[in-house]
Amino acid sequence: MTGPADGARDGAFMRIALGHAAAAGAGGEVPVGAVLVRGEDIIATGGNRPIASHDPTGHAEIQALRAGAQALGNYRLNDTTLYVTLEPCVMCASAIVHARVRRLVFGAWDARAGGAGSITNVFTLPGLNHRVDVFGGVLMDDCARLLQEFFVQRRE
């Protein structure tokens, strides 16, 4: 369920997500960032925080979804696009579906935990009551490089 992205617009929002990913990495978290957008407006952002928050659900996507729901006063995030620097895991992919996000755009693929096609594809499971348009690989090299550099530094 991956396809062409919306060019310059997607790249611009992904660069903002990369900034949040870098901030998460600077704080000792795995550098993943997320930006929730409706139209041209940023509704919410998030960066990985499971270590700092002592919360296994503290992924960047969940942070952005929670903040977006608060900002909009509704758990249904209709007509939104979520930009994430790393392919969502199964937990996050499921939350994206339940939140009714219209579009997901992600950067790097996650061969170990990806829930949008790498190890499984939550978005194509039959019986789900909502479909999300999914586009992977936007600024993939930049997103992957940030993760690779983080893990190289951790191993030194």
Side-chain angles (χ1 to χ4, degrees), residues 55-129:
D55 179 359
T57 69
H59 294 191
E61 301 94 322
I62 301 298
Q63 300 295 323
L65 293 175
R66 286 178 178 159
Q70 290 297 311
L72 296 176
N74 193 336
Y75 74 98
R76 290 191 173 166
L77 303 174
N78 296 320
D79 299 319
T80 59
T81 299
L82 183 64
Y83 295 88
V84 187
T85 58
L86 181 64
E87 177 185 2
C89 69
V90 171
M91 174 187 70
C92 291
S94 297
I96 291 164
V97 170
H98 287 292
R100 309 294 199 278
V101 170
R102 182 178 58 85
R103 218 169 149 253
L104 167 68
V105 179
F106 67 88
W109 294 88
D110 187 350
R112 293 184 181 167
S118 287
I119 63 165
T120 192
N121 194 338
V122 170
F123 301 103
T124 61
L125 292 174
L128 293 179
N129 63 345

